[in-house]
Amino acid sequence: MSGGAVIVGGKAQVGLDDLRITADLKAVSVTAVEDEDGFGGGWRVVARAVCTATLSGLELVTATVPASSSTMKALGVRCPEGKHLQGMGAAITGGGGQARLTTIMAATDQGPAMLVTATEDGNGYGGSWTLAGQAVCAK
């Protein structure tokens, strides 16, 4: 299970907040949010789920960066020994529309791992927010 999303029509005033894989590994949930001054135009988010047959040893591994008001956050998630990355997800909690996901990618040079990054918008955000990464791993 993995997923993807695209924002259509947001004109850089709408950011991706969540691309979560459900705990049962059967669906994705995607959330996009307008920045703090809103957006008067129409926009939509399009989500895609990529599903496969059940693989041996399939599990969801999650890691989280502690809450803080950092301008940028980065997080690596590693699969357990002997398992390989099959899918990825990420989520921001508490960003108030002023933090957005900027990277969700496999880090192939580091073995079975993935990298997630998020940044605050141009004028920053005084509140605390967290970043979580999800790795779908299997043998």
Side-chain angles (χ1 to χ4, degrees):
M1 164 60 65
S2 192
V6 64
I7 298 166
V8 178
K11 298 199 188 261
Q13 291 194 340
V14 179
L16 190 59
D17 193 63
D18 296 335
L19 173 62
R20 292 181 193 259
I21 298 170
T22 59
D24 63 4
L25 299 169
K26 293 186 179 185
V28 295
S29 171
V30 176
T31 306
V33 293
E34 294 179 4
D35 63 16
E36 72 269 16
D37 63 357
F39 178 61
W43 63 274
R44 63 189 167 102
V45 62
V46 178
R48 296 280 190 256
V50 180
C51 305
T52 64
T54 301
L55 301 171
S56 175
L58 193 63
E59 71 175 293
L60 183 64
V61 178
T62 303
T64 304
V65 173
S68 69
S69 182
S70 298
T71 303
M72 186 246 186
K73 294 184 182 189
L75 172 67
V77 183
R78 186 167 293 283
C79 290
E81 186 68 33
K83 293 191 176 183
H84 302 281
L85 184 65
Q86 304 296 320
M88 300 172 282
I92 294 170
T93 303
Q98 294 186 322
R100 54 187 66 190
L101 294 170
T102 51
T103 306
I104 305 171
M105 65 181 238
T108 55
D109 60 332
Q110 299 174 15
M114 59 162 302
L115 173 68
V116 178
T117 64
T119 59
E120 293 181 359
D121 65 11
N123 64 359
Y125 179 57
S128 291
W129 55 284
T130 63
L131 174 64
Q134 297 176 302
V136 178
C137 305
K139 291 185 176 186

